[in-house]
Amino acid sequence: MDTRLTAEQDEIRRTLRELLRRRCGHEELRSAVDSPAGHDPLLWSALAGRLGLVGLALPERYGGVGCSMTELALACEETGRALAPSPLLATSVLTAPLILALGTRDQRADLLPRLAAGHLTAALAVPGPALATALALTGPNTGYRAGGGRAGGVQARRTADGWTLYGQADQVLDGHSARLLLVAAHTGGFARSRTCLFLVAEDAVGLTRTRQTALDATRPQGRVQLRHTPAELLGEDDTDVRPALAALGDPVATVLAAEAVGAADRALERTVEYVGQREQFGRPIGSFQAVKHRLADVYVGVQAARSAAYYAAWATTRGDGVGALALAQALEALRAAAAEGIQLHGGIGFTWEHDAHLYFKRAAGDALLFGPAHRLRDRAAEAAGLFARDEVAV
């Protein structure tokens, strides 16, 4: 593995960091998360149109840039540093790869160029206990079903005019604002019926979407309700979506790990700046040995998490799935960096007006949606066959 970045990769990081520094400061961030959509449309246009970030990992034949997961992870490290609220994760990381993998030729030709250009935003609506289950991040998804049969989830029914959906999905990332929904639904009326993915337009009849109050305001979530809503089947009738969802889990975890590393690095950077300015007993608190030791521990954790995230991005392009392990390490590094930042900022670190709590909420929110860390590691150990059935590590 060559850890040196290419000139192109360096340029992606430099350009994106400069843009986010100008367009995603404290005031801009607060204004964006308080808006109905939960993100700044102008920033999204810049990311998509000027930088081509949305189509970075999509093939050139569909209007993308044709880069690898490494470039996308490096870019998301910068968006993580800024905690930039945008539909990037939902559109480019969760939804577009599924359309690319499962869609028909006409569906790919119609949707992917618009997604790559940023003209169309998308969200993956997966009913059930957790998105991590469907992506096989915290357990095998061989038994995954889109809800609980008649008792819940989303049901799909074939009619003379096509498919209609009925049901509800909660905690859908950008589900309240996305122009296209990719909904997992049962194709029968019982719990073990086959799960398929369906395309639902933003203006479909019977579709109701409501923004939810989320722990992490920089990752807006919505509740999606469907009442006999017309939908289009993604792919063919015999398409099995579970292998595609499982294959998507590792790239998603890799991108999330890179985001968490960027956020942890920025949280540490802000804390170091502050302890160099705040004085106690006539000297900066950063000069006290106890403070130095605590921040040194955080620094080691962040650098180890960065190495793991970079390796996961490199390994993903070669078919080695280590993204979940990198995500577990990155979430722990971010949580530690954010917690130390809150405490070492003193009284101001606990206030709503300061941004320190946003980094802690990013770590906690991602752990709720895609983890937690111990379950990510448990699944990785199970997949690697480290422990026999019923064997307990001591």
Side-chain angles (χ1 to χ4, degrees), residues 183-202:
V183 183
H186 285 294
T187 57
F190 52 95
R192 290 187 173 275
S193 57
R194 188 165 63 94
T195 296
C196 291
L197 291 172
F198 294 87
L199 299 167
V200 178
E202 62 175 333

Side-chain angles (χ1 to χ4, degrees), residues 78-388:
E78 296 304 317
T79 62
R81 277 182 60 88
L83 297 180
S86 78
L88 181 65
L89 178 63
T91 299
S92 300
V93 183
L94 287 171
T95 308
L98 290 173
I99 296 175
L100 179 63
L102 301 176
T104 64
R105 179 181 300 179
D106 290 342
Q107 287 171 338
R108 293 195 299 267
D110 174 44
L111 298 175
L112 291 178
R114 290 192 285 155
L115 290 172
H119 299 153
L120 184 68
T121 57
L124 176 62
V126 177
L131 180 59
T133 302
L135 298 178
L137 290 176
T138 56
N141 75 347
T142 52
Y144 171 74
R145 298 293 184 271
R150 291 186 183 277
V154 178
Q155 299 293 324
R157 179 185 178 189
R158 192 194 295 267
T159 67
D161 298 325
W163 290 92
T164 60
L165 304 182
Y166 191 97
Q168 178 173 306
D170 298 311
Q171 293 182 302
V172 180
L173 291 174
D174 293 298
H176 62 293
S177 61
R179 296 185 55 201
L180 176 70
L181 293 175
L182 186 58
V183 183
H186 285 294
T187 57
F190 52 95
R192 290 187 173 275
S193 57
R194 188 165 63 94
T195 296
C196 291
L197 291 172
F198 294 87
L199 299 167
V200 178
E202 62 175 333
D203 56 353
V205 176
L207 173 63
T208 302
R209 303 185 293 173
T210 308
R211 183 174 178 181
Q212 301 289 86
T213 300
L215 173 64
D216 179 10
T218 64
R219 286 212 198 281
Q221 301 175 18
R223 171 182 293 155
V224 175
Q225 295 176 312
L226 306 114
R227 299 294 182 263
H228 305 296
T229 304
E232 177 185 351
L233 178 68
L234 179 68
E236 307 295 343
D237 285 343
D238 58 349
T239 299
D240 187 0
V241 305
R242 288 177 302 175
L245 286 169
L248 180 63
D250 190 70
V252 169
T254 299
V255 169
L256 289 168
E259 274 194 347
V261 166
D265 187 60
R266 180 56 181 152
L268 175 59
E269 185 180 277
R270 295 180 63 151
T271 305
V272 170
E273 291 174 357
Y274 181 76
V275 298
Q277 299 169 359
R278 178 186 171 191
E279 292 190 356
Q280 192 79 22
F281 306 111
R283 55 188 289 194
I285 64 172
S287 64
F288 297 131
Q289 189 176 42
V291 174
K292 290 181 180 179
H293 285 175
R294 292 170 65 173
L295 292 179
D297 288 341
V298 173
Y299 176 80
V300 171
V302 172
Q303 294 305 315
R306 173 175 283 115
S307 296
Y310 284 7
Y311 177 76
W314 176 83
T316 298
T317 61
R318 289 153 179 79
D320 298 329
V322 294
L325 289 174
L327 176 58
Q329 189 162 357
L331 289 178
E332 290 180 340
L334 174 55
R335 192 180 188 95
E340 291 289 2
I342 291 173
Q343 188 165 25
L344 291 176
H345 272 83
I348 193 175
F350 289 85
T351 63
W352 182 260
E353 290 75 15
H354 200 274
D355 289 343
H357 68 95
L358 296 178
Y359 293 92
F360 191 85
K361 289 178 177 178
R362 169 60 65 90
D366 279 2
L368 289 172
L369 283 172
F370 301 100
H374 71 274
R375 292 193 63 194
L376 291 167
R377 290 195 176 103
D378 181 68
R379 169 56 183 160
E382 179 186 0
L386 293 184
F387 305 109

